[in-house]
Amino acid sequence: MSAVPTDISISTEPGPGRDGGLPRNAQIYFAAVAITAAAVTLPFIGRLQTTHEWPAFLILASAAAVARLFVVRTPADQAYHTDIVFLIPAALILPPELLVLVAIVQMVPEWLKMRYRWYLQTFNILDYSLSAMAAWFVGRWLILEHAGIANGALRLSLAGLAACIVFVAVNHVLLAVMLRLARGFTLRETGLFDAEYVATDLVLAALGVAVYAFWQTNPWLVPFALTPLFLIHRSLSVPALQAEARVDPKTGLFNARHFAAALSEEIGRARRFERPMSLIMADLDLLRDINNTYGHLAGDAVLKGIAEVFRAQLRHYDIPARFGGEEFSILLPETPQDQAMEIAERIRRAVAERTFDIETSSDPIRATVSIGVAGFPKDGTDANELIHQADLAVYRAKLQGRNRVLGASSEPLLVPADRSTRLVAVPEDGDHHVPLPSAPQVQPLEERREVRHPRPHAVHGPRFLSLDRRLSLIVGLVSAIGVGAGIVGLTFSWTSKDLLGLLMVVGLVGVGQALALEADEGSAVLSVSAVGCLAAASLFGFRAALPLALASVAVEWSARRAPLHNVLFNVGALTLASLAAASVFKIAAFFPDGTAHELAASGLGLLAGTAYFVVNMGLVSLALALQGHERWWSVFKERFAWLLPHYLVYGFIGGVMALAYEAVQLLALAVFAVPLLLMRKTQEAYLKHTQRSAQKLRQAAETIQSQNVSLELANKLLKERSTAAMESLSATVDARDSYTAGHSRRVQQLALAIGRELGLSLAELDLLGHAALFHDIGKLAIPDSILLKPASLTPDEWSLMQRHAEEGARIIDRLGFLNDAVPAIRHHHERFDGTGYPDRLLGEDIPLGARIIHVADALDSMLTTRIYRAARPAGEALQELRGAAGTQFCPRCVTALERILPLETLQSDTDRARLSLVAS
């Protein structure tokens, strides 16, 4: 067998009997197999001196040894080798004495590379030797040499079939017994008799029969028979790639792509059987702070630790995944929402109680998660809706303080309406009277897609309801010229010779078209029927073009009922494409007969595939360009150019099929049907993966768009509510002293007036207004005994009073959306000469907003009666500002204040009431 599911070298996991040598029962079985292999092979060893098949031995043994090095690992820690493709022809070509050496030689490079234990490699050699000898006995000795079957093709088919079945069966049985005795695996655990593994080995063995057939006809053609081996090898890699693509490498959890597929499948199951299902979204709190404080490796360690918590707390059938960044998702099948809430709370507690050891901190660190839970069908009936509702619950959990679990809620979270004014002054009593509007529901935008475009190897005509004049002309010309040329080719090259072969190829094309795969939302198609068309163009020339086109279009029409003009266009385009390919194959007539002629004919398949592609896709692109009023080259390049490599491969395989047909007639079609079906399966897996990825990307884009709108509106609401709360706090600070009531609002008005005079932008004024309104918010941390003290403050009390600027900056900084206002709040008591507090900044180093607030704050303070002094006259206050300009205050700000407030005309304290009116 070709696969290391059949090799015991894969079993390296610890467990009973897996820690060293073989158990006793396995040793006895090993000895029995060795004795049997010796009894079967040793009688033939003496004939090595007289054998004459050494060149064939060297070729096949070397090929098998090389193929064995290209291993394909599977998710189940198993591996596939493709060396069976060379062992089957070796069993049918070589004498038994050389066949035994093949089983030994093919293992040498692998042993030099991997250095498996001696008994593992030895058993593999014994296994392959017995399997190959059994295939030789049944296939060659019994059927080819002694069965007495006169029909050569039938004899070859029976011998190949028998050799394939016997080799795979003996190989699997020998290994299954050893794995049972040595590793304790049951037949099901080994996977050796799963339909997938058995079918794969039989396909590879069948390709080996094709190699043997080519070898008997012309050994130079064997490389062309091996071309499907590359595609088979790639297809064997798909399961491993799929498993690799399902897991997030950082956490070991499933990734978002696999989670989306599992969620969609589970929703379908829950809907069919009316069963409960829940979804958990969990977001790691403050991962950015962890990364900034301890480094990104610490953040990665925390992510891994949380993944371990998930695995420990969840059931074996739950599906945890890393959704992206610091966000996780958990699918809970058969789980109502109340039970999901309990599971989520258990996870939250486990994460909060866990400590994470990291190299960048001497002490372990802790982390928390905010969790949202949504249930099916209560909170959503599709994947996007469930994820969105659970994500909104996470958002609410974070707004409520993080480290908590919340279920999905129908309560509106967002309010999109704009408030009438950006800055609303707080009334004298400190209450905020502006009502908050209700929030409308945010609906995701629906995707609107147009009808799908035509496909390049099926319905090639443009999909339109009415044809304009130019498009009608193109459709008519393509149909008439194509059908006419097909009839001419059929008439002048008609012969009844090999009519059965032509009908078989036509049938193969029809089957291939029925299995066509749509790509790019129907604007392109991958169909292995093109291989049959190209093979027929090589074998039967021009007479096959029209029948093949009619068969392909008939199958397509039966499935999709395309309009008549589409059918006519398709017939004409496909006929012309087949005629172009047949013309290319006619070049082979100019080559001399023999091997060179055959090699050239197969190589012409590449050129024929290109011609077929250019004619077919060129006509389709022209029709689409006329229909959509686009440039022909743009349509061709964007929609169809990517298919060229596929048609190159189709052309080459079609040429090889034609050579094989000349050698073994209809058997070639049967032999190549299996690799073609496998190729189609690989393409289907690739296209499904691509389509799923595209669909998920579209859904993700829709979700992101909807969530962006939601987050934008939520952020707006958060800012409004936070601002309102801070305004109330600011008013509370003013209200602590009856003498300072309304102080923050007046400072805000004065500061905005100065800012406008200085020419600040609207954004800068917006920021200045917030900073002025909240400049004294830090006094919340100052005790009343200091804040309201009528006497002078002691040095310690004054030091504490000076901290209110820093405390205010810290409070506003925590809001997150007023970070740019923090410097103005922190430094609004800095002096222009550098003797202020808290950082003793000098001159222009002081933020302009802080300098403006300093002037406005000083003016309002001097004009207001305080508990420790009476209000000062306006003229005297202005004179003091002028005198301190350049030392305590910014000269520019004082000058701007003078321009907007002619305070030198104010003679009494009652005049200061006009300040607010003038400033506003």
Side-chain angles (χ1 to χ4, degrees):
M1 170 167 180
S2 63
V4 180
T6 62
D7 290 350
I8 62 174
S9 58
I10 62 161
S11 303
T12 57
E13 298 181 5
R18 304 182 191 180
D19 55 351
L22 296 174
R24 182 176 181 81
N25 290 338
Q27 293 178 10
I28 296 174
Y29 177 70
F30 181 94
V33 173
I35 293 172
T36 303
V40 170
T41 58
L42 288 179
F44 298 98
I45 298 299
R47 296 162 52 179
L48 285 174
Q49 298 179 353
T50 59
T51 186
H52 301 288
E53 298 291 340
W54 288 104
F57 163 76
L58 291 175
I59 294 173
L60 293 173
S62 300
V66 172
R68 191 159 186 84
L69 292 176
F70 292 92
V71 61
V72 179
R73 292 286 173 184
T74 70
D77 197 24
Q78 298 173 332
Y80 280 108
H81 294 285
T82 54
D83 53 357
I84 190 174
V85 175
F86 304 100
L87 293 176
I88 293 297
L92 298 176
I93 295 172
L94 299 178
E97 59 272 15
L98 292 180
L99 184 59
V100 175
L101 293 183
V102 171
I104 298 175
V105 170
Q106 72 164 358
M107 297 292 179
V108 173
E110 182 189 47
W111 180 82
L112 292 175
K113 179 181 179 181
M114 305 301 297
R115 297 302 176 99
Y116 294 128
R117 294 188 180 94
W118 69 268
Y119 56 84
L120 299 177
Q121 201 73 62
T122 302
F123 183 83
N124 289 334
I125 293 174
L126 298 175
D127 185 359
Y128 274 70
S129 298
L130 290 175
S131 301
M133 290 298 293
W136 168 83
F137 175 77
V138 175
R140 179 175 176 176
W141 190 88
L142 190 62
I143 298 179
L144 288 179
E145 297 179 355
H146 297 89
I149 302 176
N151 189 309
L154 178 60
R155 185 170 64 253
L156 173 60
S157 301
L158 293 177
L161 178 62
C164 293
I165 294 176
V166 169
F167 185 98
V168 173
V170 172
N171 184 256
H172 282 231
V173 170
L174 289 175
L175 184 61
V177 176
M178 174 56 81
L179 290 177
R180 175 62 178 173
L181 297 176
R183 310 305 187 200
F185 293 155
T186 64
L187 291 181
R188 185 173 184 179
E189 290 174 337
T190 63
L192 294 176
F193 296 97
D194 291 350
E196 177 184 355
Y197 290 136
V198 174
T200 301
D201 277 351
L202 290 177
V203 167
L204 291 168
L207 187 58
V209 176
V211 171
Y212 169 72
F214 274 72
W215 185 286
Q216 294 298 101
T217 304
N218 188 337
W220 291 101
L221 301 179
V222 170
F224 299 100
L226 296 176
T227 52
L229 185 60
F230 173 75
L231 296 175
I232 294 174
H233 188 274
R234 293 293 299 272
S235 68
L236 292 176
S237 304
V238 171
L241 295 176
Q242 288 176 338
E244 212 174 286
R246 293 187 309 170
V247 177
D248 173 63
K250 185 170 292 186
T251 62
L253 302 177
F254 291 114
N255 58 21
R257 185 167 65 87
H258 175 72
F259 181 82
L263 177 59
S264 178
E265 181 180 351
E266 183 59 29
I267 288 176
R269 191 194 67 82
R271 184 181 291 114
R272 286 193 305 273
F273 299 104
E274 298 182 354
R275 300 297 300 165
M277 186 208 77
S278 295
L279 171 68
I280 291 177
M281 297 295 291
D283 194 277
L284 175 59
D285 297 328
L286 303 176
L287 176 62
R288 184 174 61 179
D289 290 352
I290 295 175
N291 288 333
N292 293 340
T293 305
Y294 304 104
H296 286 81
L297 292 180
D300 292 346
V302 173
L303 291 174
K304 294 176 184 176
I306 290 178
E308 293 173 1
V309 171
F310 287 168
R311 283 189 284 265
Q313 298 295 328
L314 294 173
R315 302 160 299 188
H316 70 277
Y317 54 83
D318 296 330
I319 303 176
R322 186 183 180 198
F323 200 75
E326 65 268 32
E327 195 167 14
F328 299 87
S329 52
I330 304 172
L331 177 60
L332 303 176
E334 295 290 333
T335 307
Q337 189 170 5
D338 55 349
Q339 186 178 349
M341 293 288 288
E342 296 176 3
I343 296 174
E345 179 61 25
R346 188 169 68 239
I347 292 174
R348 185 200 64 78
R349 287 198 304 267
V351 172
E353 293 170 359
R354 175 167 179 150
T355 58
F356 302 92
D357 295 319
I358 58 174
E359 296 180 356
T360 54
S361 174
S362 58
D363 298 324
I365 64 174
R366 295 182 179 273
T368 60
V369 290
S370 299
I371 299 178
V373 181
F376 174 89
K378 176 177 175 285
D379 301 314
T381 57
D382 60 43
N384 283 339
E385 190 176 1
L386 277 175
I387 292 174
H388 184 58
Q389 290 299 325
D391 204 40
L392 288 179
V394 173
Y395 188 68
R396 288 190 177 93
K398 286 186 172 293
L399 291 180
Q400 295 183 20
R402 300 187 177 90
N403 190 26
R404 62 191 63 222
V405 177
L406 290 180
S409 172
S410 59
E411 177 186 353
L413 177 65
L414 313 171
V415 289
D418 290 327
R419 297 177 66 171
S420 57
T421 57
R422 298 294 301 269
L423 295 172
V424 179
V426 180
E428 295 293 336
D429 59 1
D431 294 328
H432 187 77
H433 297 292
V434 179
L436 294 174
S438 60
Q441 295 293 331
V442 178
Q443 298 293 339
L445 298 177
E446 294 184 359
E447 180 181 22
R448 296 179 175 87
R449 296 195 172 270
E450 301 298 329
V451 293
R452 303 193 306 187
H453 296 297
R455 307 181 308 162
H457 194 74
V459 181
H460 302 275
R463 295 176 183 265
F464 37 67
L465 298 178
S466 60
L467 304 178
D468 59 28
R469 182 176 302 175
R470 291 191 303 168
L471 193 55
S472 300
L473 179 62
I474 291 298
V475 171
L477 285 176
V478 171
S479 303
I481 295 175
V483 174
I487 293 175
V488 170
L490 186 63
T491 301
F492 287 93
S493 61
W494 173 257
T495 175
S496 59
K497 179 183 178 182
D498 206 3
L499 183 59
L500 178 60
L502 176 60
L503 294 176
M504 288 290 293
V505 174
V506 170
L508 179 63
V509 169
V511 172
Q513 189 59 45
L515 299 176
L517 299 171
E518 293 185 358
D520 195 18
E521 292 297 328
S523 66
V525 124
L526 290 176
S527 171
V528 293
S529 65
V531 178
C533 292
L534 292 164
S538 176
L539 289 171
F540 309 113
F542 301 122
R543 61 177 171 143
L546 186 59
L548 290 172
L550 291 173
S552 179
V553 173
V555 172
E556 180 64 28
W557 180 86
S558 66
R560 293 172 177 81
R561 296 295 194 274
L564 178 61
H565 53 263
N566 283 42
V567 173
L568 295 176
F569 183 89
N570 292 340
V571 172
L574 286 177
T575 302
L576 291 174
S578 295
L579 290 173
S583 300
V584 173
F585 279 118
K586 289 298 182 182
I587 300 175
F590 298 98
F591 292 94
D593 294 337
T595 300
H597 170 81
E598 295 172 341
L599 294 176
S602 60
L604 284 174
L606 296 172
L607 187 57
T610 303
Y612 188 96
F613 168 79
V614 170
V615 173
N616 191 7
M617 302 307 149
L619 292 174
V620 175
S621 300
L622 178 60
L624 287 175
L626 291 176
Q627 177 191 0
H629 303 287
E630 303 176 64
R631 297 179 58 186
W632 170 83
W633 174 247
S634 298
V635 175
F636 180 83
K637 183 178 180 180
E638 293 176 4
R639 300 186 184 181
F640 305 118
W642 66 277
L643 289 169
L644 177 59
H646 294 272
Y647 278 83
L648 289 174
V649 175
Y650 290 163
F652 184 75
I653 296 178
V656 175
M657 283 183 63
L659 292 177
Y661 183 86
E662 293 177 357
V664 293
Q665 298 300 311
L666 296 179
L667 178 61
L669 301 181
V671 169
F672 274 87
V674 175
L676 287 177
L677 291 177
L678 188 58
M679 183 193 309
R680 190 261 182 195
K681 186 69 176 176
T682 303
Q683 292 174 340
E684 180 183 21
Y686 169 76
L687 290 177
K688 284 184 177 179
H689 169 69
T690 303
Q691 290 166 356
R692 286 196 301 267
S693 299
Q695 179 65 22
K696 280 183 279 192
L697 285 175
R698 284 194 294 269
Q699 293 175 350
E702 294 172 358
T703 302
I704 290 172
Q705 183 179 12
S706 173
Q707 290 180 347
N708 281 343
V709 174
S710 301
L711 290 174
E712 183 179 355
L713 298 177
N715 187 48
K716 190 173 184 179
L717 172 61
L718 180 61
K719 289 182 179 179
E720 291 178 348
R721 290 184 173 176
S722 299
T723 302
M726 298 307 296
E727 289 174 358
S728 299
L729 287 175
S730 178
T732 301
V733 172
D734 293 348
R736 293 171 68 184
D737 183 356
S738 60
Y739 294 98
T740 61
H743 168 71
S744 296
R745 183 180 62 177
R746 292 193 299 273
V747 170
Q748 179 193 50
Q749 293 172 335
L750 283 170
L752 289 174
I754 296 173
R756 282 191 291 267
E757 182 65 22
L758 291 175
L760 299 186
S761 66
L762 291 178
E764 290 172 320
L765 289 173
D766 187 13
L767 200 62
L768 176 62
H770 282 98
L773 185 62
F774 302 140
H775 75 283
D776 275 343
I777 195 74
K779 289 183 178 178
L780 288 170
I782 307 302
D784 287 348
S785 59
I786 298 176
L787 187 66
L788 305 179
K789 184 177 181 179
S792 300
L793 299 180
T794 65
D796 291 338
E797 292 172 336
W798 178 242
S799 175
L800 185 60
M801 174 64 79
Q802 289 180 335
R803 291 176 55 186
H804 82 274
E806 295 178 79
E807 290 296 330
R810 187 175 296 110
I811 292 172
I812 297 303
D813 185 50
R814 290 172 182 169
L815 287 178
F817 61 87
L818 288 178
N819 297 37
D820 293 334
V822 170
I825 297 173
R826 178 180 178 86
H827 301 296
H828 76 277
H829 279 297
E830 300 284 0
R831 292 171 57 98
F832 203 74
D833 59 4
T835 60
Y837 63 89
D839 298 324
R840 304 179 70 83
L841 299 183
L842 175 66
E844 296 295 330
D845 290 340
I846 305 171
L848 179 58
R851 285 178 272 154
I852 294 174
I853 296 172
H854 192 189
V855 171
D857 185 27
L859 178 61
D860 187 75
S861 297
M862 287 188 287
L863 295 177
T864 304
T865 299
R866 297 297 176 94
I867 192 172
Y868 50 85
R869 63 160 175 79
R872 301 173 67 177
E876 183 181 334
L878 182 59
Q879 185 62 38
E880 183 166 340
L881 288 174
R882 288 172 181 164
T887 56
Q888 183 176 358
F889 303 108
C890 171
R892 280 202 302 151
C893 297
V894 173
T895 302
L897 178 64
E898 288 183 296
R899 288 198 298 266
I900 62 173
L901 295 177
L903 295 182
E904 68 277 3
T905 63
L906 304 179
Q907 298 298 324
S908 66
D909 290 348
T910 58
D911 292 332
R912 63 183 173 81
R914 297 165 51 193
L915 278 174
S916 296
L917 297 176
V918 176
S920 60

